[in-house]
Amino acid sequence: MSPERGPLAGRRIVVGVTGSIAAYKAVLLVRRLMERGATVDVALTRSAAAFVTPLTFASLTHRPVVSDVLDLDAEQQIAHIELAEAADAVVVAPATANVLAELAIGMASSSVTAIACASRAPVVVAPAMDAGMWTNPATQRNVATLREFGYLLVEPEVGSLASGLTGIGRLAEPGTIADTVERLFERAGDLEGLRVVVSAGGTREPIDPVRFIGNRSSGKMGTAIAEAARDRGATVTLIAGAMSVNPPPGVSVVNATTAQAMRQAVMREAPGADILVMAAAVADFAPKQASGRKIKRDGAELQVELVPNPDIIAEVAEMPTDIRPFLIGFAAESQDLEANAIGKLRDKGLDLIVGNVVGGPFDAIGSDENKVTVFGSEGALTDWPMLPKRQIAERLWDLIADRYRSARGPDGAQKEKAGRRPRAGSAGSRR
Ligand code: C5P
């Protein structure tokens, strides 16, 4: 694609270079990004400047290079804040073990960490270090923290290292890093104009004022799905059950911690929405009557009568087609995943269902990763490996957007006449 028309055309990218021997490859990265049409600003840490001089980058980009956190720009503004605000993406490459640690705890002592910390644009981090440093548990914990914060990691590669040894830790090739940055913009905005409702977390069905029947759902999968939709330009409502994570900024949040409350919230939000993803683990049963007072122990057995909860997503599926959103359900199954998931998709009248196996050696509940298969009525549509939940969310949106557009036409035409609610405006694109 020509640089004038590709996804990086006219984008402002800040490349933050830190002190690794791989800093020379950042020169090539800057070139690759510029060749694809981006305007590139470079920030260097002091130790990076010992490997490659600011003059190299300034000559290449024809722009001033920020090498100190105290630098001012031509207008006497604080350079790292100006760049952080102007950036469409920040790329830290190479990222040393030290810079990963600083980013994970929010330190901003260098121009590079200050920009990454201050920017609301997506941050891509490409680590490079000795194999021992990369596999060190502290580094791995820092990497996991950064993923949780929404940083995009470009994994280091296996190969010969500066030490002379061969192992993992080599900076990914500049072309690979540039591809990752480009992908950020390929997807950006592909859900623009769509109103998406996502439910997440578990429900808690009260037995008395202090006790409930609940489940271990963390809400991490649904939250990742809501966040990814927000970053791709959708207007997102998150219906949040009981969750162990905070709802992401930039989405409207409706709290609903019982199945009945969730039903009410979904019935209010779903009509006229374009897509509903029911990732919440809704309790199938609730105590028939919650006791108004805390139940006392008196030595006798306690019987709690349970009644079935409404199947919320099945109810949405029955809505008239002009207000019924495109529907994605989840199925956690301990056996016969495919048969049970497709059975549920048909019984509940869904468009897609995301299945995963529970009760095996790997416990996805509460984990940052999962292995899922997406099914349509024709069978399995994906063969994805175990992935971080945010990456699952991105892949899910690729698939959902595709299917949604085939079902509804490029503009959701089937629904245009049906008094759709006006869009509340784009939800922004904070990481
Ligand atoms: O039947 P099962 O609970 O396995 O179905 C899972 C799917 O149905 C999930 O998408 C879940 O959010 C949804 N569900 C629902 N209402 C219920 C139970 C489950 O919408 N009462």
Side-chain angles (χ1 to χ4, degrees):
M1 201 172 304
S2 78
E4 297 80 41
R5 303 195 37 215
L8 288 180
R11 300 286 183 178
R12 284 198 64 179
I13 312 293
V14 175
V15 174
V17 186
T18 73
S20 147
I21 171 67
Y24 75 91
K25 286 195 189 172
V27 178
L28 299 173
L29 171 64
V30 169
R31 288 204 67 142
R32 296 287 100 84
L33 294 169
M34 288 173 64
E35 281 160 12
R36 298 183 193 192
T39 300
V40 181
D41 284 291
V42 175
L44 292 173
T45 60
R46 207 164 288 163
S47 44
F51 286 101
V52 187
T53 66
L55 182 63
T56 306
F57 290 107
S59 312
L60 191 61
T61 59
H62 309 293
R63 300 173 72 80
V65 168
V66 184
S67 38
D68 194 295
V69 74
L70 302 176
D71 281 356
L72 298 179
D73 65 13
E75 278 84 45
Q76 303 302 302
Q77 303 292 328
I78 301 167
H80 65 263
I81 297 294
E82 290 297 304
L83 280 188
E85 278 175 8
D88 292 311
V90 177
V91 188
V92 184
T96 58
N98 186 61
V99 93
L100 297 179
E102 286 199 6
L103 291 173
I105 56 170
M107 275 181 71
S109 56
S110 74
S111 57
V112 173
T113 46
I115 290 169
C117 198
S119 182
R120 279 180 294 176
V123 181
V124 175
V125 178
M129 64 199 73
D130 163 71
M133 279 177 143
W134 173 251
T135 49
N136 180 288
T139 304
Q140 287 303 308
R141 192 185 56 197
N142 291 332
V143 167
T145 304
L146 294 181
R147 283 211 170 93
E148 220 168 275
F149 292 163
Y151 286 71
L152 233 96
L153 267 286
V154 187
E155 297 280 336
E157 296 176 354
V158 176
S160 57
L161 303 171
S163 60
L165 301 172
T166 299
I168 186 157
R170 214 164 74 155
L171 181 70
E173 287 306 314
T176 309
I177 302 171
D179 288 347
T180 306
V181 180
E182 196 165 80
R183 275 200 296 278
L184 283 173
F185 300 105
E186 265 167 9
R187 285 161 166 170
D190 70 343
L191 302 179
E192 191 78 43
L194 296 183
R195 211 169 75 77
V196 165
V197 180
V198 181
S199 71
T203 62
R204 294 177 164 181
E205 310 300 328
I207 298 171
D208 69 16
V210 292
R211 302 182 180 97
F212 57 82
I213 296 175
N215 56 64
R216 295 190 292 117
S217 172
S218 62
K220 286 183 179 174
M221 189 69 248
T223 299
I225 291 171
E227 223 166 40
R230 173 203 66 190
D231 289 348
R232 293 165 75 143
T235 299
V236 182
T237 300
L238 177 70
I239 300 179
M243 310 207 302
S244 64
V245 288
N246 289 327
V251 309
S252 313
V253 181
V254 179
N255 291 307
T257 46
T258 64
Q260 288 297 350
M262 194 161 278
R263 176 176 177 273
Q264 266 183 23
V266 172
M267 289 307 158
R268 195 174 56 237
E269 298 295 332
D274 297 289
I275 299 170
L276 169 66
V277 183
M278 274 301 282
V282 184
D284 290 323
F285 298 93
K288 188 170 185 181
Q289 189 136 42
S291 164
R293 291 196 208 150
K294 186 178 170 199
I295 300 168
K296 293 273 180 220
R297 179 162 56 153
D298 60 6
E301 284 182 7
L302 175 68
Q303 304 276 350
V304 180
E305 198 180 341
L306 299 178
V307 292
N309 274 329
D311 192 329
I312 304 167
I313 201 165
E315 265 185 63
V316 177
E318 311 247 287
M319 286 177 176
T321 49
D322 57 351
I323 55 165
R324 172 196 181 279
F326 191 78
L327 285 180
I328 298 96
F330 274 68
E333 303 294 335
S334 53
Q335 62 232 348
D336 298 333
L337 179 65
E338 174 149 6
N340 282 318
I342 294 179
K344 257 175 208 177
L345 174 132
R346 295 207 173 115
D347 293 347
K348 292 173 186 260
L350 311 180
D351 296 295
L352 292 171
I353 194 155
V354 184
N356 70 297
V357 176
V358 288
F362 171 70
D363 187 3
I365 303 175
S367 164
D368 291 326
E369 298 191 316
N370 199 0
K371 180 165 168 43
V372 306
T373 307
V374 186
F375 300 94
S377 56
E378 69 272 47
L381 303 174
T382 62
D383 181 18
W384 296 340
M386 178 85 70
L387 290 168
K389 286 181 174 171
R390 176 61 196 241
Q391 282 186 36
I392 295 177
E394 294 293 353
R395 290 184 183 209
L396 276 177
W397 281 117
D398 290 342
L399 180 64
I400 295 169
D402 205 41
R403 291 259 160 166
Y404 169 79
R405 295 208 162 93
S406 321
R408 306 277 165 110
D411 319 313
Q414 183 189 333
K415 303 175 68 204
E416 274 321 324
K417 286 182 251 100
R420 281 155 47 126
R421 288 192 207 176
R423 249 186 106 228
S426 178
S429 61
R430 202 188 157 89
R431 203 176 344 128

mmCIF file of all heavy atoms in Angstrom, residues 298-337:
data_model
loop_
_atom_site.group_PDB
_atom_site.id
_atom_site.type_symbol
_atom_site.label_atom_id
_atom_site.label_comp_id
_atom_site.label_asym_id
_atom_site.label_seq_id
_atom_site.Cartn_x
_atom_site.Cartn_y
_atom_site.Cartn_z
ATOM 1 N N ASP A 298 -29.486 -22.814 63.915
ATOM 2 C CA ASP A 298 -30.141 -23.365 65.109
ATOM 3 C C ASP A 298 -29.957 -24.872 65.178
ATOM 4 O O ASP A 298 -30.712 -25.581 65.834
ATOM 5 C CB ASP A 298 -31.638 -22.987 65.119
ATOM 6 C CG ASP A 298 -32.354 -23.532 63.895
ATOM 7 O OD1 ASP A 298 -31.705 -24.292 63.129
ATOM 8 O OD2 ASP A 298 -33.544 -23.205 63.687
ATOM 9 N N GLY A 299 -28.951 -25.380 64.464
ATOM 10 C CA GLY A 299 -28.674 -26.814 64.532
ATOM 11 C C GLY A 299 -29.483 -27.622 63.543
ATOM 12 O O GLY A 299 -29.088 -28.735 63.193
ATOM 13 N N ALA A 300 -30.599 -27.063 63.080
ATOM 14 C CA ALA A 300 -31.448 -27.816 62.142
ATOM 15 C C ALA A 300 -30.919 -27.640 60.708
ATOM 16 O O ALA A 300 -30.134 -26.736 60.438
ATOM 17 C CB ALA A 300 -32.885 -27.298 62.230
ATOM 18 N N GLU A 301 -31.342 -28.536 59.826
ATOM 19 C CA GLU A 301 -30.964 -28.386 58.419
ATOM 20 C C GLU A 301 -31.653 -27.158 57.831
ATOM 21 O O GLU A 301 -32.714 -26.760 58.312
ATOM 22 C CB GLU A 301 -31.402 -29.607 57.616
ATOM 23 C CG GLU A 301 -30.503 -30.794 57.841
ATOM 24 C CD GLU A 301 -30.923 -31.989 56.988
ATOM 25 O OE1 GLU A 301 -31.829 -31.820 56.131
ATOM 26 O OE2 GLU A 301 -30.360 -33.062 57.208
ATOM 27 N N LEU A 302 -31.032 -26.608 56.817
ATOM 28 C CA LEU A 302 -31.673 -25.458 56.158
ATOM 29 C C LEU A 302 -31.965 -25.838 54.711
ATOM 30 O O LEU A 302 -31.080 -26.303 54.000
ATOM 31 C CB LEU A 302 -30.717 -24.255 56.190
ATOM 32 C CG LEU A 302 -31.186 -23.021 55.436
ATOM 33 C CD1 LEU A 302 -32.391 -22.371 56.111
ATOM 34 C CD2 LEU A 302 -30.036 -22.003 55.326
ATOM 35 N N GLN A 303 -33.186 -25.654 54.310
ATOM 36 C CA GLN A 303 -33.543 -25.920 52.913
ATOM 37 C C GLN A 303 -33.719 -24.575 52.223
ATOM 38 O O GLN A 303 -34.427 -23.713 52.723
ATOM 39 C CB GLN A 303 -34.899 -26.648 52.821
ATOM 40 C CG GLN A 303 -34.990 -27.944 53.591
ATOM 41 C CD GLN A 303 -34.441 -29.129 52.795
ATOM 42 O OE1 GLN A 303 -34.173 -28.994 51.604
ATOM 43 N NE2 GLN A 303 -34.275 -30.252 53.469
ATOM 44 N N VAL A 304 -33.037 -24.392 51.137
ATOM 45 C CA VAL A 304 -33.256 -23.176 50.347
ATOM 46 C C VAL A 304 -33.896 -23.606 49.041
ATOM 47 O O VAL A 304 -33.308 -24.361 48.270
ATOM 48 C CB VAL A 304 -31.928 -22.430 50.081
ATOM 49 C CG1 VAL A 304 -32.163 -21.170 49.247
ATOM 50 C CG2 VAL A 304 -31.239 -22.079 51.379
ATOM 51 N N GLU A 305 -35.095 -23.129 48.797
ATOM 52 C CA GLU A 305 -35.788 -23.531 47.565
ATOM 53 C C GLU A 305 -35.315 -22.635 46.419
ATOM 54 O O GLU A 305 -35.295 -21.412 46.546
ATOM 55 C CB GLU A 305 -37.299 -23.388 47.757
ATOM 56 C CG GLU A 305 -38.061 -24.183 46.721
ATOM 57 C CD GLU A 305 -39.577 -24.049 46.898
ATOM 58 O OE1 GLU A 305 -40.043 -23.661 48.010
ATOM 59 O OE2 GLU A 305 -40.280 -24.322 45.928
ATOM 60 N N LEU A 306 -34.906 -23.273 45.342
ATOM 61 C CA LEU A 306 -34.397 -22.496 44.210
ATOM 62 C C LEU A 306 -35.392 -22.531 43.060
ATOM 63 O O LEU A 306 -36.009 -23.556 42.788
ATOM 64 C CB LEU A 306 -33.065 -23.087 43.726
ATOM 65 C CG LEU A 306 -31.922 -23.101 44.738
ATOM 66 C CD1 LEU A 306 -30.685 -23.772 44.129
ATOM 67 C CD2 LEU A 306 -31.570 -21.697 45.203
ATOM 68 N N VAL A 307 -35.514 -21.395 42.402
ATOM 69 C CA VAL A 307 -36.381 -21.331 41.215
ATOM 70 C C VAL A 307 -35.527 -20.885 40.018
ATOM 71 O O VAL A 307 -34.539 -20.175 40.202
ATOM 72 C CB VAL A 307 -37.565 -20.349 41.407
ATOM 73 C CG1 VAL A 307 -38.549 -20.859 42.441
ATOM 74 C CG2 VAL A 307 -37.062 -18.960 41.795
ATOM 75 N N PRO A 308 -35.902 -21.316 38.803
ATOM 76 C CA PRO A 308 -35.071 -20.938 37.651
ATOM 77 C C PRO A 308 -35.130 -19.437 37.372
ATOM 78 O O PRO A 308 -36.173 -18.806 37.564
ATOM 79 C CB PRO A 308 -35.666 -21.729 36.478
ATOM 80 C CG PRO A 308 -36.955 -22.289 36.952
ATOM 81 C CD PRO A 308 -37.037 -22.184 38.439
ATOM 82 N N ASN A 309 -33.991 -18.894 36.965
ATOM 83 C CA ASN A 309 -33.947 -17.485 36.550
ATOM 84 C C ASN A 309 -34.380 -17.375 35.092
ATOM 85 O O ASN A 309 -34.275 -18.335 34.340
ATOM 86 C CB ASN A 309 -32.508 -16.955 36.676
ATOM 87 C CG ASN A 309 -32.217 -16.446 38.069
ATOM 88 O OD1 ASN A 309 -33.121 -15.957 38.758
ATOM 89 N ND2 ASN A 309 -30.981 -16.579 38.493
ATOM 90 N N PRO A 310 -34.847 -16.205 34.691
ATOM 91 C CA PRO A 310 -35.170 -16.031 33.267
ATOM 92 C C PRO A 310 -33.907 -16.175 32.425
ATOM 93 O O PRO A 310 -32.835 -15.768 32.862
ATOM 94 C CB PRO A 310 -35.690 -14.591 33.198
ATOM 95 C CG PRO A 310 -35.156 -13.913 34.407
ATOM 96 C CD PRO A 310 -35.005 -14.963 35.465
ATOM 97 N N ASP A 311 -34.043 -16.797 31.259
ATOM 98 C CA ASP A 311 -32.899 -16.878 30.338
ATOM 99 C C ASP A 311 -32.882 -15.579 29.540
ATOM 100 O O ASP A 311 -33.675 -15.379 28.617
ATOM 101 C CB ASP A 311 -33.037 -18.101 29.421
ATOM 102 C CG ASP A 311 -31.736 -18.371 28.677
ATOM 103 O OD1 ASP A 311 -31.000 -17.412 28.383
ATOM 104 O OD2 ASP A 311 -31.460 -19.548 28.391
ATOM 105 N N ILE A 312 -32.003 -14.692 29.955
ATOM 106 C CA ILE A 312 -32.042 -13.316 29.442
ATOM 107 C C ILE A 312 -31.773 -13.274 27.942
ATOM 108 O O ILE A 312 -32.517 -12.672 27.173
ATOM 109 C CB ILE A 312 -31.017 -12.437 30.193
ATOM 110 C CG1 ILE A 312 -31.276 -12.498 31.693
ATOM 111 C CG2 ILE A 312 -31.060 -11.000 29.692
ATOM 112 C CD1 ILE A 312 -30.161 -11.922 32.550
ATOM 113 N N ILE A 313 -30.712 -13.930 27.527
ATOM 114 C CA ILE A 313 -30.316 -13.824 26.122
ATOM 115 C C ILE A 313 -31.364 -14.464 25.213
ATOM 116 O O ILE A 313 -31.626 -13.977 24.106
ATOM 117 C CB ILE A 313 -28.893 -14.405 25.895
ATOM 118 C CG1 ILE A 313 -28.301 -13.829 24.615
ATOM 119 C CG2 ILE A 313 -28.855 -15.916 25.893
ATOM 120 C CD1 ILE A 313 -26.803 -14.030 24.452
ATOM 121 N N ALA A 314 -32.017 -15.533 25.724
ATOM 122 C CA ALA A 314 -33.070 -16.175 24.916
ATOM 123 C C ALA A 314 -34.252 -15.213 24.748
ATOM 124 O O ALA A 314 -34.904 -15.175 23.707
ATOM 125 C CB ALA A 314 -33.510 -17.471 25.582
ATOM 126 N N GLU A 315 -34.488 -14.404 25.799
ATOM 127 C CA GLU A 315 -35.576 -13.413 25.696
ATOM 128 C C GLU A 315 -35.248 -12.343 24.660
ATOM 129 O O GLU A 315 -36.112 -11.921 23.894
ATOM 130 C CB GLU A 315 -35.787 -12.715 27.044
ATOM 131 C CG GLU A 315 -36.870 -13.361 27.872
ATOM 132 C CD GLU A 315 -37.117 -12.554 29.142
ATOM 133 O OE1 GLU A 315 -37.538 -11.382 29.070
ATOM 134 O OE2 GLU A 315 -36.861 -13.121 30.226
ATOM 135 N N VAL A 316 -33.979 -11.924 24.659
ATOM 136 C CA VAL A 316 -33.579 -10.899 23.678
ATOM 137 C C VAL A 316 -33.726 -11.463 22.271
ATOM 138 O O VAL A 316 -34.156 -10.760 21.343
ATOM 139 C CB VAL A 316 -32.131 -10.411 23.934
ATOM 140 C CG1 VAL A 316 -31.701 -9.400 22.870
ATOM 141 C CG2 VAL A 316 -32.004 -9.802 25.317
ATOM 142 N N ALA A 317 -33.405 -12.743 22.128
ATOM 143 C CA ALA A 317 -33.471 -13.366 20.791
ATOM 144 C C ALA A 317 -34.890 -13.326 20.225
ATOM 145 O O ALA A 317 -35.083 -13.346 19.018
ATOM 146 C CB ALA A 317 -32.969 -14.807 20.867
ATOM 147 N N GLU A 318 -35.886 -13.242 21.123
ATOM 148 C CA GLU A 318 -37.291 -13.235 20.674
ATOM 149 C C GLU A 318 -37.783 -11.846 20.270
ATOM 150 O O GLU A 318 -38.909 -11.697 19.814
ATOM 151 C CB GLU A 318 -38.189 -13.726 21.815
ATOM 152 C CG GLU A 318 -37.707 -15.004 22.442
ATOM 153 C CD GLU A 318 -38.641 -16.149 22.188
ATOM 154 O OE1 GLU A 318 -39.715 -16.132 22.813
ATOM 155 O OE2 GLU A 318 -38.289 -17.019 21.370
ATOM 156 N N MET A 319 -36.944 -10.850 20.484
ATOM 157 C CA MET A 319 -37.388 -9.478 20.152
ATOM 158 C C MET A 319 -37.665 -9.374 18.653
ATOM 159 O O MET A 319 -37.037 -10.083 17.864
ATOM 160 C CB MET A 319 -36.297 -8.457 20.515
ATOM 161 C CG MET A 319 -36.162 -8.210 21.987
ATOM 162 S SD MET A 319 -34.783 -7.069 22.285
ATOM 163 C CE MET A 319 -34.945 -6.892 24.054
ATOM 164 N N PRO A 320 -38.549 -8.448 18.252
ATOM 165 C CA PRO A 320 -38.777 -8.246 16.820
ATOM 166 C C PRO A 320 -37.465 -7.922 16.110
ATOM 167 O O PRO A 320 -36.603 -7.256 16.700
ATOM 168 C CB PRO A 320 -39.717 -7.028 16.779
ATOM 169 C CG PRO A 320 -40.224 -6.843 18.164
ATOM 170 C CD PRO A 320 -39.315 -7.540 19.106
ATOM 171 N N THR A 321 -37.322 -8.400 14.873
ATOM 172 C CA THR A 321 -36.020 -8.283 14.200
ATOM 173 C C THR A 321 -35.539 -6.844 14.068
ATOM 174 O O THR A 321 -34.345 -6.599 14.017
ATOM 175 C CB THR A 321 -36.057 -8.907 12.791
ATOM 176 O OG1 THR A 321 -37.207 -8.392 12.131
ATOM 177 C CG2 THR A 321 -36.097 -10.417 12.821
ATOM 178 N N ASP A 322 -36.469 -5.876 14.013
ATOM 179 C CA ASP A 322 -35.990 -4.506 13.829
ATOM 180 C C ASP A 322 -35.328 -3.920 15.076
ATOM 181 O O ASP A 322 -34.610 -2.927 14.987
ATOM 182 C CB ASP A 322 -37.118 -3.582 13.322
ATOM 183 C CG ASP A 322 -38.318 -3.574 14.260
ATOM 184 O OD1 ASP A 322 -38.335 -4.406 15.189
ATOM 185 O OD2 ASP A 322 -39.212 -2.749 14.069
ATOM 186 N N ILE A 323 -35.537 -4.526 16.240
ATOM 187 C CA ILE A 323 -34.840 -4.004 17.433
ATOM 188 C C ILE A 323 -33.904 -5.040 18.057
ATOM 189 O O ILE A 323 -33.181 -4.748 19.005
ATOM 190 C CB ILE A 323 -35.828 -3.505 18.515
ATOM 191 C CG1 ILE A 323 -36.819 -4.602 18.903
ATOM 192 C CG2 ILE A 323 -36.523 -2.224 18.086
ATOM 193 C CD1 ILE A 323 -37.561 -4.272 20.194
ATOM 194 N N ARG A 324 -33.929 -6.249 17.531
ATOM 195 C CA ARG A 324 -33.096 -7.311 18.120
ATOM 196 C C ARG A 324 -31.637 -7.126 17.707
ATOM 197 O O ARG A 324 -31.310 -7.056 16.530
ATOM 198 C CB ARG A 324 -33.585 -8.672 17.625
ATOM 199 C CG ARG A 324 -32.714 -9.860 17.998
ATOM 200 C CD ARG A 324 -33.105 -11.037 17.116
ATOM 201 N NE ARG A 324 -32.362 -12.242 17.388
ATOM 202 C CZ ARG A 324 -31.150 -12.499 16.924
ATOM 203 N NH1 ARG A 324 -30.489 -11.600 16.220
ATOM 204 N NH2 ARG A 324 -30.574 -13.664 17.185
ATOM 205 N N PRO A 325 -30.718 -7.018 18.700
ATOM 206 C CA PRO A 325 -29.309 -6.881 18.324
ATOM 207 C C PRO A 325 -28.744 -8.211 17.814
ATOM 208 O O PRO A 325 -29.338 -9.266 18.020
ATOM 209 C CB PRO A 325 -28.628 -6.475 19.626
ATOM 210 C CG PRO A 325 -29.561 -6.839 20.716
ATOM 211 C CD PRO A 325 -30.947 -6.942 20.148
ATOM 212 N N PHE A 326 -27.598 -8.136 17.155
ATOM 213 C CA PHE A 326 -26.853 -9.330 16.781
ATOM 214 C C PHE A 326 -26.370 -9.949 18.098
ATOM 215 O O PHE A 326 -25.835 -9.242 18.957
ATOM 216 C CB PHE A 326 -25.679 -8.895 15.902
ATOM 217 C CG PHE A 326 -24.965 -10.007 15.216
ATOM 218 C CD1 PHE A 326 -25.505 -10.591 14.080
ATOM 219 C CD2 PHE A 326 -23.729 -10.445 15.676
ATOM 220 C CE1 PHE A 326 -24.823 -11.599 13.413
ATOM 221 C CE2 PHE A 326 -23.048 -11.449 15.024
ATOM 222 C CZ PHE A 326 -23.605 -12.027 13.892
ATOM 223 N N LEU A 327 -26.571 -11.264 18.264
ATOM 224 C CA LEU A 327 -26.414 -11.844 19.609
ATOM 225 C C LEU A 327 -25.266 -12.837 19.734
ATOM 226 O O LEU A 327 -25.200 -13.818 18.985
ATOM 227 C CB LEU A 327 -27.684 -12.599 19.984
ATOM 228 C CG LEU A 327 -28.892 -11.767 20.383
ATOM 229 C CD1 LEU A 327 -30.061 -12.681 20.720
ATOM 230 C CD2 LEU A 327 -28.527 -10.912 21.599
ATOM 231 N N ILE A 328 -24.419 -12.585 20.715
ATOM 232 C CA ILE A 328 -23.311 -13.506 20.979
ATOM 233 C C ILE A 328 -23.410 -13.970 22.421
ATOM 234 O O ILE A 328 -23.434 -13.164 23.357
ATOM 235 C CB ILE A 328 -21.932 -12.822 20.752
ATOM 236 C CG1 ILE A 328 -21.800 -12.395 19.293
ATOM 237 C CG2 ILE A 328 -20.783 -13.770 21.092
ATOM 238 C CD1 ILE A 328 -22.167 -10.974 19.045
ATOM 239 N N GLY A 329 -23.497 -15.290 22.590
ATOM 240 C CA GLY A 329 -23.543 -15.858 23.938
ATOM 241 C C GLY A 329 -22.251 -16.589 24.262
ATOM 242 O O GLY A 329 -21.375 -16.742 23.408
ATOM 243 N N PHE A 330 -22.141 -17.011 25.492
ATOM 244 C CA PHE A 330 -20.980 -17.797 25.946
ATOM 245 C C PHE A 330 -21.470 -19.137 26.464
ATOM 246 O O PHE A 330 -22.584 -19.235 26.992
ATOM 247 C CB PHE A 330 -20.232 -17.045 27.058
ATOM 248 C CG PHE A 330 -19.213 -16.078 26.517
ATOM 249 C CD1 PHE A 330 -19.613 -14.945 25.823
ATOM 250 C CD2 PHE A 330 -17.857 -16.317 26.674
ATOM 251 C CE1 PHE A 330 -18.686 -14.065 25.287
ATOM 252 C CE2 PHE A 330 -16.913 -15.442 26.155
ATOM 253 C CZ PHE A 330 -17.323 -14.318 25.463
ATOM 254 N N ALA A 331 -20.656 -20.162 26.313
ATOM 255 C CA ALA A 331 -20.997 -21.480 26.860
ATOM 256 C C ALA A 331 -19.763 -22.067 27.517
ATOM 257 O O ALA A 331 -18.747 -22.273 26.854
ATOM 258 C CB ALA A 331 -21.484 -22.395 25.740
ATOM 259 N N ALA A 332 -19.830 -22.256 28.818
ATOM 260 C CA ALA A 332 -18.734 -22.919 29.539
ATOM 261 C C ALA A 332 -19.190 -24.358 29.771
ATOM 262 O O ALA A 332 -20.189 -24.581 30.463
ATOM 263 C CB ALA A 332 -18.485 -22.206 30.853
ATOM 264 N N GLU A 333 -18.492 -25.306 29.186
ATOM 265 C CA GLU A 333 -18.962 -26.697 29.215
ATOM 266 C C GLU A 333 -17.872 -27.606 29.771
ATOM 267 O O GLU A 333 -16.690 -27.428 29.464
ATOM 268 C CB GLU A 333 -19.314 -27.163 27.794
ATOM 269 C CG GLU A 333 -20.352 -26.303 27.087
ATOM 270 C CD GLU A 333 -21.731 -26.362 27.738
ATOM 271 O OE1 GLU A 333 -22.035 -27.380 28.402
ATOM 272 O OE2 GLU A 333 -22.492 -25.394 27.605
ATOM 273 N N SER A 334 -18.285 -28.600 30.557
ATOM 274 C CA SER A 334 -17.283 -29.531 31.058
ATOM 275 C C SER A 334 -17.086 -30.710 30.104
ATOM 276 O O SER A 334 -16.110 -31.432 30.193
ATOM 277 C CB SER A 334 -17.642 -30.007 32.465
ATOM 278 O OG SER A 334 -18.956 -30.498 32.452
ATOM 279 N N GLN A 335 -18.026 -30.944 29.206
ATOM 280 C CA GLN A 335 -17.829 -32.000 28.206
ATOM 281 C C GLN A 335 -18.581 -31.678 26.918
ATOM 282 O O GLN A 335 -19.477 -30.824 26.941
ATOM 283 C CB GLN A 335 -18.270 -33.379 28.742
ATOM 284 C CG GLN A 335 -19.724 -33.489 29.087
ATOM 285 C CD GLN A 335 -19.925 -34.014 30.499
ATOM 286 O OE1 GLN A 335 -18.975 -34.495 31.106
ATOM 287 N NE2 GLN A 335 -21.110 -33.911 31.016
ATOM 288 N N ASP A 336 -18.217 -32.387 25.851
ATOM 289 C CA ASP A 336 -18.858 -32.237 24.531
ATOM 290 C C ASP A 336 -19.073 -30.773 24.180
ATOM 291 O O ASP A 336 -20.207 -30.340 23.922
ATOM 292 C CB ASP A 336 -20.233 -32.950 24.511
ATOM 293 C CG ASP A 336 -20.078 -34.439 24.748
ATOM 294 O OD1 ASP A 336 -19.002 -34.961 24.411
ATOM 295 O OD2 ASP A 336 -21.015 -35.052 25.277
ATOM 296 N N LEU A 337 -17.980 -30.024 24.163
ATOM 297 C CA LEU A 337 -18.095 -28.576 23.953
ATOM 298 C C LEU A 337 -18.887 -28.240 22.702
ATOM 299 O O LEU A 337 -19.840 -27.455 22.749
ATOM 300 C CB LEU A 337 -16.694 -27.937 23.899
ATOM 301 C CG LEU A 337 -16.685 -26.426 23.670
ATOM 302 C CD1 LEU A 337 -17.322 -25.700 24.846
ATOM 303 C CD2 LEU A 337 -15.260 -25.899 23.457
#
